[in-house]
Structures are given as C-alpha cells and as structure tokens.
C-alpha cells in the first residue's frame, strides 16, 4: 500500500464546488488586489481567532516580518525565538535588522521552554516570538507573564497552528500580534502563497495595512518605507471558502493522531507529548528515534512517505554563520534535528492507511 506524506484529494473533492464558485466570483468581478474578498476573509478570520483585526499578507514570513517592523523592532534590538523551528521565524527578525536570540525547546513538546526565556533577556530584548510548533500551543501563561514583567512584545508564530487551543483560547489571541501562513500544506491552506497578521490593536493593524502596500495609506500617499506583501483576492476567496470547514478537518486530524498515539507501541519510538491544557491541530505528527534514518528508509521501502522537520537547526545554517554558533551550543534542538521523523498526517486518511502506518512502524526492529 502507498501512503503519501500529505494528500489534498479528499479535501479538494469535498470543496470543489465552493472553490470553483470562489474563483468564478473573483473572475467575474475583475478585481484582483485588495478588494471585497480580502475584507470578508480578514473579518471572518479575525472573528475565528477571537481578535479584533486581521490583515491579509503575501505569506507567513511577511506576516512575521511586518509585525516586527510595525512594532519598530530593528537594528540593535534582540528578539527571543526558539532554537527548534522553521527558519522563517528567525528570518523575520534578521530582515528587520534585529538579532534572533535562540532559546531551547522542551524536549517533550518541541516548543520553546518558557523556563529558559528569562535568562536570555537583555537590555536589547524587545520581543518574544513563541512558535506553536507542529500545531500545539506553547505555554502562553508563562510567556505572557515574562513579557509583562519585562515590558516585551509577544509576536506569536502560528504558521502551523490554525485553530489550536490553549486553555480555551485560540492561538493568535495572546500576543501583541500573531502571524499565520496559508501555504497550501497548512491546515488552512491557500491554493498558492498567503499569510495574515491578527491583532487586537487597530493602530497596529492599520500600520501593517500600509506597510503591506508600499507603505501607502491611500493611493500615491506613502507614509512608511513599505513593501508589496498583499494577499490577493483569489487566495482570500479560496481561504474564505475553506475557513468554515477548518474545525471539522482539524477534528479529523485529532482522530488520526489519537489512533497513532494509541496504536504505535514500538519501544524504539518516542511519541509526541501533549500538554493537558492544549487542544492541538496536528499540522505535523512528529515521532523521534535514535535510528531515524533507518526508520525513514524502512518506511520508504514499505511505500510510506515521510519528512524531516528540521534536519539542520537554524544556528548551524550557513546563512547564520555570522552569529558564530557551533555544534553543541543548542544540544536539545540538535537532538531533535537528528531524531525527528514526520509520518503521514492529512485530512482524508483512511483507517486502512492509518493502521498500515502503525503496523509497519511497530514491525521496525
């Protein structure tokens, strides 16, 4: 049996009419940038996240970059980020001229360890950027408490956690601002690139609206050094068509995860740990083993596709050699990087596929 790492076939079949109607609506209007589709999606997604404002942007990196820029974070400033995350988190800091300061994750949840944040704060620190990695929320109570104590901004990286819940509240509603990615593989994915910033601050939202559009508050009037980072009408329409189905599809992912958690019994495998106060959305189902490459090959032989998140930690990437980190500086991130393997997780997986993955993993010696 072949089991892909991800498949959109079932979702696309179910939503075909809504997606086609969304395309037709935009096409007939002949309005493709910053129109009513964008406004509708922004309003609906803000309401979904439990915040006052949403600003559609070009992608998840734009969302984080513009959030920091709008907060005035730049050269000479520091932003605390997890050592275990996708590189876009750190790039958003660097692109603003600031310096990412890495903090190790909790080895159980893979999210930033809140107990380690305070020791990383200096007089240059301006913000904390927690990443709700793989779809599970960070320890936001502790992070909010630290931010309040030191007068720091919180910019949540929610790129993998659309709809994830922490103590009854959705991620994206805890910080000064939050960035989302709508890359096609996300739980809420566009049919191309897309992103959004959500925030309760109307002032911050208006600034980001200008920054995404060449720094312009109205045509030919530019108040900031901005960029072209807009969410186009077509992607906004597609996202708005898919948004009402997000919770249902997230629940299906939870059911798949529950079967994995209950069914995988191989002693060589470390399963994901879920904090009791979290309701994750399982963008990624990440297992760990000291024999990662062997398991990867074994599953491939059985036609089960996998992926690795992330095989080279950020501090060892060539683009960050100027920070002068070396191997061993962040041992927990490095441990995760060479033991993590992501197994198939997507809406529409059949019980037959799930059980096959479980059986093959359990047969790995």
């Amino acid at each position: 049996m072949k089991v892909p790492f991800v498949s959109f076939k079932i979702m696309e079949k179910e939503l075909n009419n809504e997606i086609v109607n969304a395309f037709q609506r935009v096409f007939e209007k002949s309005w493709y940038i910053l129109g009513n589709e964008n406004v509708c999606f922004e309003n609906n997604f803000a309401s979904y996240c439990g915040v006052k404002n949403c600003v559609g942007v070009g992608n998840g990196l734009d969302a984080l970059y513009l959030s920091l820029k709008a907060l005035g974070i730049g050269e000479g400033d520091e932003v605390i980020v997890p050592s275990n995350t996708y590189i876009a988190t750190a790039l958003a800091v660097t692109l603003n001229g600031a310096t990412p300061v890495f903090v190790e994750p909790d080895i159980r949840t893979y999210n930033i360890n809140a107990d380690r944040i305070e020791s990383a704060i200096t007089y240059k620190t301006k913000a904390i950027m927690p990443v709700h990695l793989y779809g599970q929320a960070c320890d936001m109570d502790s992070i909010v408490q630290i931010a309040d104590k030191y007068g720091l901004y919180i910019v949540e990286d929610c790129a993998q956690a659309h709809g994830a819940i922490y103590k009854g509240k959705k991620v994206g509603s805890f910080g000064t601002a939050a960035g989302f990615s709508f890359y096609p593989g996300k739980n809420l994915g566009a049919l191309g690139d897309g992103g959004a910033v959500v925030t309760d601050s109307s002032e911050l939202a208006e600034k980001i609206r200008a920054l995404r559009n060449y720094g312009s508050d109205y045509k030919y009037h530019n108040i900031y050094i901005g960029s072209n980072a807009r969410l186009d009408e077509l992607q906004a329409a597609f996202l708005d068509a898919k948004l009402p189905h997000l919770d249902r599809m997230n629940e299906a992912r939870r059911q798949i995860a529950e079967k994995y958690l209950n069914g995988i019994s191989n002693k060589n495998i470390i399963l994901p740990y879920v904090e009791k106060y979290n309701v994750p959305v399982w963008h990624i189902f990440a297992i760990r083993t000291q024999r990662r490459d062997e398991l990867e090959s074994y599953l491939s032989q059985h036609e089960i596709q996998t992926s690795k998140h992330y095989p080279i930690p950020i501090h060892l990437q060539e683009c960050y050699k100027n920070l002068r980190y070396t191997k061993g500086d962040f041992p927990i991130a490095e441990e995760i990087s060479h033991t993590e393997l992501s197994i198939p997780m997507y809406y529409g997986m059949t019980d037959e596929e799930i059980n096959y993955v479980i059986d093959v993993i359990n047969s790995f010696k």
Side-chain angles (χ1 to χ4, degrees):
M1 177 187 297
K2 291 183 178 180
V3 184
F5 178 67
V6 64
S7 173
F8 305 125
K9 289 181 179 179
I10 300 298
M11 179 178 62
E12 289 170 347
K13 183 178 180 180
E14 289 183 2
L15 302 184
N16 179 75
N17 289 341
E18 290 167 81
I19 294 297
V20 170
N21 289 340
F23 170 80
Q24 194 67 35
R25 190 170 64 246
V26 174
F27 188 67
E28 289 175 356
K29 288 179 182 177
S30 299
W31 190 298
Y32 303 113
I33 301 292
L34 296 185
N36 190 59
E37 298 293 345
N38 212 320
V39 173
C40 287
F41 173 68
E42 288 177 343
N43 289 338
N44 290 334
F45 193 63
S47 178
Y48 177 82
C49 293
V51 298
K52 296 177 182 177
N53 305 282
C54 170
V55 183
V57 296
N59 52 64
L61 176 56
D62 284 341
L64 298 176
Y65 163 71
L66 293 177
S67 295
L68 295 175
K69 186 177 180 69
L71 291 169
I73 293 171
E75 188 173 351
D77 295 333
E78 294 177 350
V79 177
I80 291 174
V81 301
S83 58
N84 178 52
T85 184
Y86 184 55
I87 198 167
T89 312
L91 289 177
V93 178
T94 307
L95 289 172
N96 276 293
T99 301
V101 174
F102 300 114
V103 169
E104 288 274 63
D106 182 327
I107 191 64
R108 303 171 308 157
T109 66
Y110 314 135
N111 279 332
I112 191 168
N113 188 333
D115 292 338
R116 293 173 176 258
I117 291 175
E118 199 162 4
S119 63
I121 294 172
T122 73
Y123 72 93
K124 296 181 179 180
T125 307
K126 295 298 186 293
I128 305 169
M129 190 178 286
V131 180
H132 306 298
L133 201 66
Y134 305 153
Q136 178 171 199
C138 298
D139 178 5
M140 292 310 300
D141 280 353
S142 298
I143 293 170
V144 169
Q145 185 177 22
I146 293 167
D148 288 346
K149 179 179 178 180
Y150 291 93
L152 306 176
Y153 298 119
I154 296 175
V155 177
E156 296 174 71
D157 183 339
C158 303
Q160 300 182 6
H162 315 67
I165 295 172
Y166 173 88
K167 295 187 177 180
K169 286 183 63 179
K170 286 195 175 77
V171 298
S173 62
F174 294 91
T176 316
F180 286 85
S181 166
F182 302 127
Y183 182 78
K186 305 297 187 184
N187 291 37
L188 180 63
L191 274 66
D193 264 325
V197 178
V198 299
T199 177
D200 271 328
S201 170
S202 296
E203 181 181 359
L204 187 63
E206 285 309 304
K207 188 171 183 179
I208 294 170
R209 289 187 200 284
L211 286 170
R212 73 174 176 182
N213 189 33
Y214 300 100
S216 174
D217 55 348
Y218 61 89
K219 195 169 184 178
Y220 301 133
H221 184 259
N222 302 80
I223 52 179
Y224 307 113
I225 302 296
S227 57
N228 180 355
R230 302 169 300 208
L231 177 65
D232 71 70
E233 284 289 275
L234 194 57
Q235 299 305 334
F238 291 152
L239 289 165
D240 210 35
K242 294 173 78 172
L243 181 58
H245 303 275
L246 178 58
D247 284 343
R248 172 175 65 85
M249 292 182 175
N250 280 344
E251 182 55 36
R253 287 174 175 265
R254 292 188 191 105
Q255 292 175 14
I256 296 167
E258 193 66 23
K259 290 172 183 175
Y260 277 156
L261 291 169
N262 290 330
I264 297 173
S265 57
N266 191 320
K267 293 181 180 179
N268 294 303
I269 306 299
I270 300 171
L271 293 170
Y273 175 84
V274 179
E275 294 284 9
K276 61 183 179 181
Y277 46 71
N278 277 343
V279 182
V281 293
W282 300 103
H283 172 61
I284 296 295
F285 194 93
I287 62 177
R288 289 198 302 116
T289 175
Q290 294 298 325
R291 300 169 58 203
R292 191 265 306 279
D293 293 344
E294 294 173 66
L295 177 59
E296 179 185 34
S297 176
Y298 184 76
L299 293 176
S300 179
Q301 290 168 20
H302 288 80
E303 299 188 294
I304 297 171
Q305 292 183 352
T306 58
S307 184
K308 296 190 283 277
H309 297 83
Y310 301 97
I312 304 175
I314 299 174
H315 67 282
L316 298 179
Q317 293 283 359
E318 185 175 353
C319 65
Y320 278 114
K321 63 184 179 182
N322 64 301
L323 297 179
R324 300 184 182 280
Y325 290 118
T326 60
K327 189 174 182 179
D329 285 343
F330 296 97
I332 300 176
E334 291 171 31
E335 172 71 11
I336 294 170
S337 74
H338 72 253
T339 59
E340 189 276 343
L341 188 68
S342 303
I343 62 176
M345 167 61 73
Y346 56 88
Y347 176 76
M349 280 190 79
T350 66
D351 284 343
E352 185 181 14
E353 290 170 327
I354 297 165
N355 291 331
Y356 179 67
V357 173
I358 292 170
D359 290 343
V360 173
I361 290 176
N362 284 342
S363 70
F364 175 67
K365 303 297 183 183

